[in-house]
Structure formats: C-alpha cells, structure tokens
C-alpha cells in the first residue's frame, strides 16, 4: 500500500543506505520492500515508535534486509521466484515431514547426509533437523539453549557440513527445516556474557531487574513451564547481582523484544539460516515473545505483531522461506499464529496442530471419540494460505491442553478426566498397556504432562515384554491408525524419527546427570541401524510398521483430496468410537475420500445413510485406497474392524 509518510521515510532511508548496499542490483528487493514497507513501518512504529532512535533503528532494519538479500545465493533466489509463482506449493499433499535429532538419528550432520536415501525410501520430503547450533557442554535443553546463533555445535559438525547437507537435500527434493530459538539464549551466549560483565547495552537484550519488585509482580500471574526442574520465572545472577527473567530453564535467558536491537538481531539470524539453505524456519516458543505484568505473558498482542513484522521483513529478502509457529497453546489461540483477518498467512504459514495431537491420544485412552469430535469442532478454521503440521509425537511432552468446556460437553469432569489420562499413559491405571512417564508435575496446580515414545505409549513395549502376539498386533494396528489420522486430516504430516520403526522408550537418559531430571529424554532415541534392517524382514514389527507408513505416504501423495484447501468436513456420527471426515477434491468434487477410524477394541459399524447426500458412498461400491480392498458391508452398514481405519472412495 502507498502511504505518504512511510513512503517519504523509505526514500530517506534508501538515500542513507551504506554505499556498498546502494551499488548492488536490488531490483527484486526494492519491489518487495516497496510492497511491504507500509506494513513494516507501521508495525515497527507501533512497537518502537516512542524511542528517540526510531529512525536509526529503521535504517538498520532495512540495511539488514538488504545485506542478507545481497548474500542470498542465486539458487535460493531462483527458488523464491518459483515459489512466488506457485504460492500454494506447500499446501500440496505431496509433502511429508520428519523431525529428528541429527545425533540420535545418525551421529552428526555428516551421518545424516549419508542417510538421505532413507528418506527417499520412506517417502519423506521435509526434514526438521532439531537444534544443531552451538550450545553449552552440559545441560542445554536439547540444544534449545543456544550460545551462538551463527555457528554449528562441534558435536553436530560444521557450517560446511550443514551447507553440504542442505545442497544434497535440495538435489533430492527434500525441504530443510531449521530452528531459530527466538525467545531466549543460553546464559553462555556472548550477549549474556557481556551483560554479566556489566555492559548495559547487552543487559538491555534481556529482562534484568535490580530487586524482586517487578519479578514478584510477574510471578503472580505467570505460569511455570518446567516447575520441577526450573521453578519460578527469574534467576539470580551472581556476577551482575541482579535477577534475570528465565521462563524455561534457569540457564535460558529470555530475550527482551521491547528493544528493537533484539528484533533486528533475530531477524538477521532468520535470514542468515535462510541463506544457508533452510526452506522452513521453525520459530520456537513464539507464544512467549512478549511479557506483560498481570498476564500469563503468553499469546500477547505484541507477540503477534513481532511475528507479523518478522514475516513482512523475511518476505522482502527471502520470500520463499516459510515459518512454522511452535505455539503449544489453547485451540483458540493457536490459529491466531497464522495471522488474523487475512487470506494469506500474515505471521506463520504453518503451525503445530497440538490440539489434534492431544485429542488423538485422548481417543486412544478412552477408546471413544467424543472429545476428539468435540475438540476438533472448536478448533478455529485456518486461513486459506496456511497449513497445519499434524503429528502424533514430537521431542516434547504431551500436554493435555484441551478446553475444559469441551471436556464437559463430552461428558467428563475436567480434572478427573485429565487425571485418568495421566494415569493411563503412565501405566498407573490397571487396564493400561502404556509405558509413559510423567513430565513437569506442578505441585501447586496439580498439572502434569506425559513423556514416552509412540510405541511405548500405545502398548508395544508392554506387549513385547509379555511376548503376547495378540497385544503386539493391537499395538501395531493402533500405531497405523494414528498415522492414518495425521496423513489424511489436511496439513503436512510430521513423523517423529524412530516411530516409523516402532522405537521403544530409551531409559539410558537416567544415567546422564544433565538429562536424568527431564523425562522428555525418554523419547529422544538413538536409532539402532542394525535393528532398522529388520524392516526388510517380512512379518517383523519393524517391517509391518515401516511398510504400513511407507504405503500411507505413497497413497497420500497420489490423492489430491488430501491437499489442504479447507476441504475437510467432519462427520457427526452416532457411533462414539468412530472418527470420520470427508476430504473433497475441490477441482473434481466427485472425488472424495471418506476417512474413518475405529478407536475401539471391538468392530464398529457406520450407517452409510448418515452421510446424507455426500458422495455416492451409500451405493456400496466402496474401496479402501490404502489396502486396495473393499471393506465389509451389510446393506448400508459399513463394518470397521477394531483399531483400524479406512480411506474410502466411492
Ligand atoms: C519448546 O517447547 C521446545 O520444543 C522445547 O523442547 C524447549 O524446551 C522449549 O521450547 C524451550 O526452548 O515453548 O510454545 O511443554 O511444549 O516448552 C511451546 C513444553 C514451547 C513444551 C514447550 C514448548
């Protein structure tokens, strides 16, 4: 949009740019800057307009965008332009992701590069390589405490290794996702060290307080994220003799986004990794970016403004790069990270669908889909040009963040229901085959979350111990059922490494003093590649899960109705054990897929006449595109075997 004030400021800024920037050919940069400048200026002004140095900061911001544009490799700029033309590219059903730790998966980045054919074998074409930046030797929250945002941790490899990996991935058509931990740094980061040495410029990068007055006010309303290992939200620093805000672990210092210098530094870092080959940037803990006394300091309006500004700036320099919002927050809050009142994402194009993840686990434990159906109905619609990351497990715990109203509407009492789920997944509940462990127990609120690998939570570990083939079979079916749900829902499925092989809990973390207190290490495995060879042995557990998932990926890629164009209709069925929805191909409306999953241990039936006039499903010519077989029907009653799913065409 053209607006005089911002345009004349833009002209002034362009005149004042460093000569080395002015000399370059910046054609694409200028057209994009012109298009976004009004928004960038307005947002920057809302956030930082009060400051005397506002204009200097604006110039600096434009310089950072321009310098990174100049450094952007030709191959990546070409990709930017291709993606501008095919702007819905990431909504395609062809994308299937996997998140992994490079050390657990393959030792280091070099090892990971050697294993790329594994992704092609399975059909994965997006890989989220979890934190690989320099972090402290000891506890580092799995790399989420970063001590240098521009360098690879030597244990993972070098910058050259990453560049080589990124190039090889691009050749194979695999997208690279990297983390930028926006909310905090490690206390070993240079900025923190300088702050400790008394440099006020760097003390302003963090929230630092002389005494407990403000911290105490914050504590009244701020929840604790890691109540067991890091109670409270502030840490006393001996060197400074001051309090530092540390919402996560005490060695993770929260960055102060009231300071525009912090915003510009972090934008520069996002662009740095974009220029090093990241197709997608995962923005960690975005809900926490803005703090306000008297609030939870999560999901604040300014946190959204910061993300909008990040997006607008990134679009100028590297428009092909997407953002993932990691906001594990209430369903009504999650969708806001796409940006509100828009068609295209104004903040992050992709967001973790934590709501769906937790609801699926609820359906497994209760064998009922009441809460799943209820909760999905309350999940706000996403924007047209934005999509979900659908996942079953990730490197974090499972939080039971459902809406209390939804729990009640499903006929449960919220506290009792959450207790049941925790008891179920930690194996306290008598009838449960799950082998999870509690995480983050909060004495004050009674809240607790759950750790454990997909296979161990679903019952495979217990079944193997009992050497019970029937139980093993059920566990495998449930693993495939859950996968079928994330592959067909709409959005990009994100597998968690090892789950495609049925990897069990790894208890070795208990022997490492830097990990023992954090049960999330239970499900951050080291892949045993000899054992992984069993995927080639017919009838083995590895083979049954791996081939099941592999087939799902292949089938998903063929079915355009699985692309994410708001083309899902939830079906409200009588049977409380079934979860069903219809996916429609908007280009060819006749081509619909009926997805139905049975979460119960007994066979269930669906009355096809409940579908009304949707598709031609009632004529009984149904075929399951996953297995290629026809399901069992009795007149218009469709039978779904226990813990199984169908992807049906009519
Ligand atoms: C994220 O987590 C990361 O995924 C965790 O591995 C890190 O420990 C954490 O940030 C700090 O960097 O911030 O918005 O319940 O779900 O901490 C959600 C714990 C986050 C995680 C939560 C999450």
């Amino acid at each position: 949009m053209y607006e005089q004030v911002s345009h004349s400021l833009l002209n002034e800024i362009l005149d004042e740019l460093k000569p080395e920037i002015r000399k370059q050919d910046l054609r694409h940069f200028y057209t994009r800057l012109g298009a976004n400048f009004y928004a960038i200026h307005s947002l920057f002004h809302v956030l930082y307009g009060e400051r005397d140095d506002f204009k200097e900061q604006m110039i600096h911001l434009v310089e950072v965008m321009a310098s990174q544009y100049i450094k952007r490799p030709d191959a990546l700029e070409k990709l930017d332009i291709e993606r501008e033309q095919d702007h819905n590219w990431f909504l395609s059903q062809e994308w299937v992701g996997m998140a992994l730790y490079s050390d657990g998966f393959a030792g280091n980045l070099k090892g990971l590069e050697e294993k790329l054919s594994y992704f092609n074998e399975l059909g994965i074409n997006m890989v989220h390589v979890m934190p690989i930046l320099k972090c402290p030797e000891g506890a580092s929250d799995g790399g989420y405490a970063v001590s240098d945002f521009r360098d690879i941790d030597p244990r993972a490899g070098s910058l050259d290794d990453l560049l080589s990996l990124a190039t090889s991935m691009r050749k194979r058509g695999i997208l690279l996702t990297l983390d930028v931990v926006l909310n905090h740094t490690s206390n070993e980061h240079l900025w923190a060290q300088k702050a400790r040495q008394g440099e006020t410029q760097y003390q302003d990068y963090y929230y630092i307080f002389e005494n407990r007055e403000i911290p105490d006010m914050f504590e009244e309303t701020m929840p604790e994220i890691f109540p067991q290992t890091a109670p409270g939200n502030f840490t006393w620093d001996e060197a400074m003799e001051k309090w530092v805000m540390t919402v996560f672990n005490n060695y993770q210092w929260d960055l102060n986004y009231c300071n525009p210098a912090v915003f510009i530094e972090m934008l520069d870092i996002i662009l740095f990794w974009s220029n090093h080959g990241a197709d997608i940037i995962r923005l960690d803990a975005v809900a926490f970016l803005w703090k306000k006394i008297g609030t939870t300091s999560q999901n604040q309006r300014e946190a959204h403004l910061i993300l909008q500004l990040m997006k607008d700036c990134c679009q100028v320099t590297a428009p092909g790069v997407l953002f993932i919002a990691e906001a594990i927050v209430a369903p009504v809050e999650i969708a806001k990270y796409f940006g509100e009142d828009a068609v295209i994402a104004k903040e992050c194009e992709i967001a973790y669908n934590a709501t769906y993840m937790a609801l699926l686990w609820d359906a497994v434990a209760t064998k009922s889909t009441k809460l799943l159906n209820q909760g999905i109905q309350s999940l706000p619609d996403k924007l047209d040009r934005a999509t979900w990351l659908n996942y079953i497990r990730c490197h974090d715990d499972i939080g039971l963040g459902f809406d209390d109203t939804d729990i009640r509407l499903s006929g449960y009492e919220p506290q009792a229901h959450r207790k049941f789920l925790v008891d179920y997944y930690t194996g306290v509940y008598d009838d449960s085959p799950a082998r999870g462990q509690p995480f983050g127990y909060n004495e004050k609120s009674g809240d607790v979350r759950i750790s454990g690998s997909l296979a161990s939570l679903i019952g495979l570990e217990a079944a193997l111990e009992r050497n019970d083939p029937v139980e093993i079979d059920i566990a495998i079916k449930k693993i495939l059922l859950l996968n079928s749900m994330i592959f067909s829902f709409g959005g990009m499925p994100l597998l968690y490494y090892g789950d495609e092989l049925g990897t069990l809990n790894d208890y070795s973390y208990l022997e490492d003093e830097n990990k023992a207190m954090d049960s999330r290490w239970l499900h951050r495995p080291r892949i045993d590649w000899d054992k992984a060879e069993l995927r080639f042995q017919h009838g083995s557990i590895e083979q049954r899960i791996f081939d099941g998932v592999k087939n799902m990926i292949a089938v998903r890629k063929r079915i355009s109705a699985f692309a994410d164009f708001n083309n899902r209709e939830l079906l409200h069925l009588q049977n409380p054990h079934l979860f069903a929805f219809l996916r429609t191909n908007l280009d060819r409306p006749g081509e619909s897929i009926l997805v139905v999953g049975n979460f119960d241990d007994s066979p269930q039936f669906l009355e096809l006449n409940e579908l009304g006039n949707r598709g031609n499903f009632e004529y009984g010519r149904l075929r399951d595109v996953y297995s290629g077989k026809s399901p069992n029907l009795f007149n218009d009653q469709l039978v779904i075997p226990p813990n199984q799913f169908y992807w049906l065409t009519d």
Side-chain angles (χ1 to χ4, degrees):
M1 163 171 162
Y2 174 80
E3 185 268 342
Q4 289 84 346
V5 176
S6 66
H7 201 73
S8 60
L9 175 66
L10 176 59
N11 284 336
E12 265 180 69
I13 290 176
L14 296 181
D15 284 342
E16 284 173 46
L17 286 183
K18 292 183 193 148
E20 60 267 31
I21 293 179
R22 271 190 279 142
K23 267 190 273 159
Q24 307 282 333
D25 169 18
L26 299 178
R27 193 165 46 102
H28 290 299
F29 176 79
Y30 283 144
T31 48
R32 292 180 195 134
L33 184 64
N36 272 13
F37 193 73
Y38 172 69
I40 292 173
H41 174 228
S42 309
L43 288 164
F44 205 69
H45 196 265
V46 173
L47 289 162
Y48 307 117
E50 303 286 288
R51 294 174 60 107
D52 295 339
D53 63 350
F54 174 72
K55 198 171 138 200
E56 279 117 275
Q57 297 287 356
M58 259 314 326
I59 296 176
H60 188 201
L61 180 70
V62 174
E63 265 167 7
V64 161
M65 287 190 272
S67 321
Q68 291 290 7
Y69 176 78
I70 292 164
K71 289 187 201 137
R72 190 145 179 83
D74 289 345
L76 298 182
E77 205 192 348
K78 204 170 141 253
L79 259 181
D80 288 335
I81 290 165
E82 281 168 25
R83 288 176 185 169
E84 274 174 347
Q85 281 160 358
D86 181 20
H87 48 257
N88 282 337
W89 66 275
F90 63 99
L91 305 178
S92 158
Q93 77 283 1
E94 282 174 34
W95 299 113
V96 179
M98 179 181 275
L100 52 85
Y101 279 105
S102 63
D103 57 345
F105 187 77
N108 55 25
L109 292 173
K110 273 210 177 87
L112 177 56
E113 190 175 346
E114 282 160 19
K115 285 265 176 297
L116 288 181
S117 62
Y118 183 74
F119 302 120
N120 296 103
E121 180 189 339
L122 186 57
I124 298 292
N125 48 19
M126 183 278 241
V127 176
H128 169 206
V129 182
M130 280 191 293
I132 43 171
L133 301 191
K134 202 147 187 257
C135 63
E137 285 282 325
S140 68
D141 192 16
Y144 283 101
V146 177
S147 18
D148 185 341
F149 283 114
R150 288 188 177 78
D151 204 4
I152 304 287
D153 193 274
R155 288 164 288 190
S158 65
L159 208 52
D160 281 343
D161 293 341
L162 182 82
L163 285 172
S164 165
L165 174 70
T167 311
S168 301
M169 283 175 70
R170 205 164 319 117
K171 276 190 200 135
R172 287 174 180 267
I174 304 175
L175 302 175
L176 172 63
T177 301
L178 293 179
D179 279 272
V180 172
V181 187
L182 281 185
N183 180 67
H184 42 260
T185 75
S186 138
N187 58 355
E188 291 183 13
H189 193 286
L190 191 65
W191 302 335
Q193 286 178 30
K194 289 190 172 172
R196 281 178 144 166
Q197 287 156 10
E199 285 190 39
T200 50
Q201 184 195 345
Y202 288 99
Q203 292 190 351
D204 283 348
Y205 273 44
Y206 301 97
Y207 300 101
I208 291 176
F209 305 97
E210 303 276 335
N211 56 46
R212 285 293 309 185
E213 193 178 357
I214 294 175
D216 283 342
M217 289 180 82
F218 267 114
E219 290 291 13
E220 281 176 29
T221 48
M222 266 173 106
E224 294 171 314
I225 307 301
F226 298 141
Q228 283 176 308
T229 47
N233 288 290
F234 297 86
T235 301
W236 175 250
D237 185 73
E238 281 297 343
M240 291 187 294
E241 298 192 313
K242 286 179 183 169
W243 292 94
V244 186
M245 185 185 280
T246 55
V247 170
F248 292 89
N249 289 295
N250 56 15
Y251 51 82
Q252 287 165 305
W253 289 21
D254 284 64
L255 284 165
N256 173 11
Y257 281 88
C258 306
N259 180 355
V262 168
F263 177 87
I264 296 171
E265 293 267 21
M266 296 315 285
L267 173 69
D268 197 25
I269 288 157
I270 288 177
L271 297 175
F272 176 87
W273 291 109
S274 303
N275 282 349
H276 282 77
D279 298 282
I280 305 180
I281 304 274
R282 175 191 183 274
L283 301 177
D284 185 62
V286 287
F288 295 81
L289 293 181
W290 196 268
K291 318 302 199 265
K292 219 175 264 175
I293 293 174
T295 72
T296 57
S297 292
Q298 288 181 41
N299 306 313
Q300 295 298 307
R301 174 174 165 263
E302 290 82 351
H304 289 285
L305 299 182
I306 287 168
L307 291 170
Q308 285 167 25
L309 187 56
M310 289 274 182
K311 182 80 270 180
D312 284 336
C313 294
C314 189
Q315 277 172 345
V316 174
T317 302
V321 172
L322 305 181
F323 288 171
I324 297 178
E326 195 257 348
I328 313 302
V329 294
V332 286
E333 296 294 340
I334 292 188
K336 294 184 187 164
Y337 288 90
F338 295 128
E340 290 180 281
D341 306 322
V343 175
I344 63 167
K346 283 201 295 191
E347 297 184 22
C348 300
E349 291 86 352
I350 309 176
Y352 278 82
N353 197 348
T355 307
Y356 189 40
M357 179 277 297
L359 288 167
L360 286 172
W361 284 106
D362 184 87
V364 170
T366 57
K367 306 183 199 309
S368 151
T369 53
K370 278 187 290 183
L371 185 53
L372 173 57
N373 273 299
Q374 182 60 42
I376 289 301
Q377 279 179 60
S378 324
L379 188 68
D381 281 343
K382 63 162 194 72
L383 303 179
D384 283 351
R385 219 180 292 164
T387 197
W388 294 112
L389 262 191
N390 294 313
Y391 63 111
I392 308 168
R393 287 298 292 117
C394 71
H395 69 291
D396 281 331
D397 48 286
I398 302 173
L400 306 175
F402 328 106
D403 194 75
D404 279 0
T405 316
D406 285 339
I407 304 184
R408 284 199 194 91
L409 285 170
S410 310
Y412 311 114
E413 194 284 309
Q415 229 184 329
H417 189 64
R418 288 205 177 85
K419 182 174 183 319
F420 160 73
L421 291 173
V422 172
D423 287 351
Y424 182 92
Y425 283 115
T426 54
V428 171
Y429 184 75
D430 267 352
D431 212 15
S432 160
R435 284 290 165 83
Q437 285 186 4
F439 174 76
Y441 174 62
N442 187 324
E443 269 183 4
K444 290 167 229 160
S445 64
D447 280 354
V448 60
R449 285 117 74 183
I450 297 152
S451 283
S453 78
L454 165 57
S456 292
L457 289 173
I458 216 83
L460 185 59
E461 187 175 330
L464 282 169
E465 264 167 33
R466 282 200 294 271
N467 202 5
D468 181 336
V470 177
E471 293 291 316
I472 292 175
D473 191 57
I474 293 176
I476 294 175
K477 286 204 171 97
K478 287 183 180 175
I479 289 175
L480 294 177
L481 169 66
L482 287 176
N483 274 292
S484 79
M485 294 291 127
I486 62 159
F487 278 106
S488 58
F489 187 75
M492 207 185 284
L494 183 72
L495 300 178
Y496 183 62
Y497 78 117
D499 287 348
E500 76 288 5
L501 295 163
T503 307
L504 303 179
N505 285 343
D506 176 357
Y507 297 92
S508 66
Y509 79 101
L510 291 165
E511 288 139 39
D512 182 337
E513 56 167 2
N514 291 317
K515 297 179 176 167
M517 297 297 288
D518 187 335
S519 68
R520 291 176 299 172
W521 289 99
L522 189 60
H523 53 258
R524 296 173 177 176
R526 196 156 275 280
I527 300 297
D528 177 342
W529 286 101
D530 289 333
K531 200 157 172 271
E533 287 291 303
L534 288 172
R535 70 186 184 280
F536 300 114
Q537 190 179 303
H538 185 76
S540 71
I541 291 168
E542 287 78 2
Q543 181 266 324
R544 291 171 66 193
I545 299 175
F546 188 91
D547 283 349
V549 172
K550 182 175 162 177
N551 186 35
M552 257 180 242
I553 296 178
V555 173
R556 170 185 154 93
K557 288 184 181 178
R558 285 201 301 270
I559 296 189
S560 332
F562 283 162
D564 192 17
F565 291 103
N566 281 333
N567 47 340
R568 175 186 53 249
E569 186 187 356
L570 204 61
L571 299 173
H572 307 285
L573 304 175
Q574 296 293 321
N575 189 322
H577 303 288
L578 301 179
F579 184 57
F581 49 87
L582 202 65
R583 302 298 316 276
T584 313
N585 181 344
L586 295 180
D587 294 328
R588 272 170 287 178
E591 273 180 32
S592 298
I593 299 279
L594 170 62
V595 174
V596 52
N598 175 6
F599 284 78
D600 197 36
D601 288 335
S602 358
Q604 299 293 324
F605 66 88
L606 185 163
E607 303 273 1
L608 286 174
N609 61 23
E610 282 186 69
L611 298 177
N613 53 6
R614 299 177 189 86
N616 293 318
F617 294 103
E618 67 271 35
Y619 297 127
R621 287 172 309 183
L622 303 180
R623 200 174 62 89
D624 174 25
V625 287
Y626 170 73
S627 63
K629 294 185 190 137
S630 292
N632 257 337
L633 276 175
F634 180 74
N635 291 331
D636 63 353
Q637 293 179 305
L638 165 71
V639 176
I640 305 111
N643 302 304
Q644 283 198 53
F645 71 95
Y646 286 131
W647 287 349
L648 299 170
T649 52
D650 54 17

